[in-house]
């Protein structure tokens, strides 16, 4: 099992450009999450999904959109990138229900110039 | 929003020393998790706790779910160089859909 994978690993964007980050999991997890990690801020939840076709806002959703068309994939989109979105993005997944352990991907380092 | 207070923010260890860190919250949590993150990688789950008072070990690591359900502790015994990294606590608030709140981390470094 590959666990949780993320593509790309690194990306540099110019302000105003758009991009999509892809997260895939092969553990048949129901729940998936997108976080951003900034120095001194810990992990902050952007959006999450409790099942295929469902999404919900987390703590810092502004400027991001997500889609969960397939159970194993969770996409994070930036429509018009801003320098404030420079961060490391992590995807995670969990079984859901009473199982709350989240398993993380390796991260995507995004720089917006 | 809800916050977790994790302490200490950083600490230096000498090989063989025991290490302790903790997280506290003003509200009740149903689950406590402890993660370790190495540079350039994602957090890796170390221990999961589901019951108040629960004490769980994973090798040299021991974690406890506080009786009040508002705190958790992680101890590392006989530290070794590969213990260096950032340790995060995470809690699942009562009534949430499985979302976790993360502490800001404890950075473990080796004493020069």
């Amino acid at each position: 099992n590959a666990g949780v994978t993320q593509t790309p690993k690194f990306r540099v964007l110019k302000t105003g450009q758009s991009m999509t980050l892809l997260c895939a999991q092969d553990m048949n997890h129901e729940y998936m999450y997108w976080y951003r990690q900034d120095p001194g801020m810990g992990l902050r939840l952007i959006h999450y999904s409790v099942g295929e076709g469902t999404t919900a806002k987390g703590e810092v959703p502004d400027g991001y959109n997500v889609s969960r068309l397939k159970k194993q994939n969770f996409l994070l989109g930036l429509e018009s990138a801003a320098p404030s979105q420079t961060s490391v993005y992590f995807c995670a997944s969990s079984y859901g229900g009473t199982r709350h352990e989240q398993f993380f991907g390796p991260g995507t380092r995004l720089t917006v110039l | 929003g809800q916050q977790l207070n994790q302490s200490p923010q950083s600490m230096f260890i000498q090989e063989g020393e025991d290490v302790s860190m903790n997280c506290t919250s003003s509200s009740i949590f149903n689950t406590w998790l402890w993660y370790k993150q190495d540079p350039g990688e994602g957090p890796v789950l170390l221990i999961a706790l589901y019951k108040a008072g629960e004490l769980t070990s994973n090798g040299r690591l021991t974690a406890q779910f506080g009786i009040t359900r508002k705190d958790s502790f992680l101890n590392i015994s006989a530290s070794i160089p590969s213990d260096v990294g950032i340790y995060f606590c995470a809690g699942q608030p009562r009534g949430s859909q499985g979302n976790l709140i993360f502490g800001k981390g404890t950075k473990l470094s080796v004493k020069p």
Side-chain angles (χ1 to χ4, degrees):
Chain A
N1 288 350
V4 179
T5 58
Q6 293 182 234
T7 52
K9 291 191 187 306
F10 302 94
R11 186 72 185 269
V12 178
L13 291 178
K14 294 181 180 178
T15 296
Q17 286 185 317
S18 63
M19 78 162 294
T20 300
L21 281 68
L22 172 64
C23 176
Q25 53 93 6
D26 61 1
M27 296 176 281
N28 200 33
H29 285 170
E30 288 294 329
Y31 291 19
M32 296 186 75
Y33 312 82
W34 276 107
Y35 293 90
R36 61 177 289 172
Q37 186 177 40
D38 303 295
M41 301 293 290
L43 287 155
R44 293 184 293 170
L45 183 64
I46 305 171
H47 285 280
Y48 63 100
S49 167
V50 298
E52 182 178 316
T54 72
T55 63
K57 294 180 180 180
E59 180 187 356
V60 289
D62 294 342
Y64 305 95
N65 56 75
V66 288
S67 64
R68 183 107 181 262
L69 299 179
K70 292 183 179 181
K71 184 177 183 178
Q72 63 267 35
N73 296 337
F74 196 27
L75 278 62
L76 177 71
L78 285 73
E79 290 187 349
S80 180
S84 61
Q85 294 177 305
T86 293
S87 187
V88 181
Y89 291 86
F90 288 101
C91 176
S93 68
S94 69
Y95 285 105
T98 57
R99 299 281 303 276
H100 302 301
E101 302 99 325
Q102 292 184 15
F103 297 89
F104 284 81
T108 294
R109 184 173 293 275
L110 175 66
T111 301
V112 183
L113 303 175
Chain B
Q2 290 171 313
Q3 290 187 337
L4 289 182
N5 296 312
Q6 185 171 352
S7 65
Q9 283 187 324
S10 63
M11 57 193 312
F12 291 89
I13 58 171
Q14 200 154 42
E15 188 169 351
E17 285 182 340
D18 295 345
V19 171
S20 293
M21 60 192 78
N22 70 83
C23 271
T24 60
S25 169
S26 58
S27 52
I28 290 174
F29 280 27
N30 286 340
T31 302
W32 284 96
L33 305 168
W34 285 91
Y35 289 86
K36 181 184 182 226
Q37 185 177 27
D38 291 325
E41 299 184 10
V44 174
L45 181 66
L46 299 173
I47 293 178
L49 302 159
Y50 282 96
K51 295 180 182 178
E54 181 179 356
L55 187 71
T56 297
S57 293
N58 178 6
R60 293 176 297 104
L61 278 61
T62 301
Q64 184 163 24
F65 193 141
I67 290 291
T68 65
R69 300 173 71 184
K70 294 182 179 181
D71 57 6
S72 180
F73 304 86
L74 176 69
N75 295 319
I76 305 173
S77 63
S79 58
I80 59 178
S82 62
D83 290 335
V84 164
I86 302 179
Y87 291 78
F88 290 98
C89 63
Q92 186 250 331
R94 188 170 55 179
S96 78
Q97 277 188 299
N99 293 350
L100 300 176
I101 307 296
F102 282 83
K104 294 187 178 180
T106 294
K107 185 176 181 180
L108 223 55
S109 305
V110 176
K111 276 182 186 173

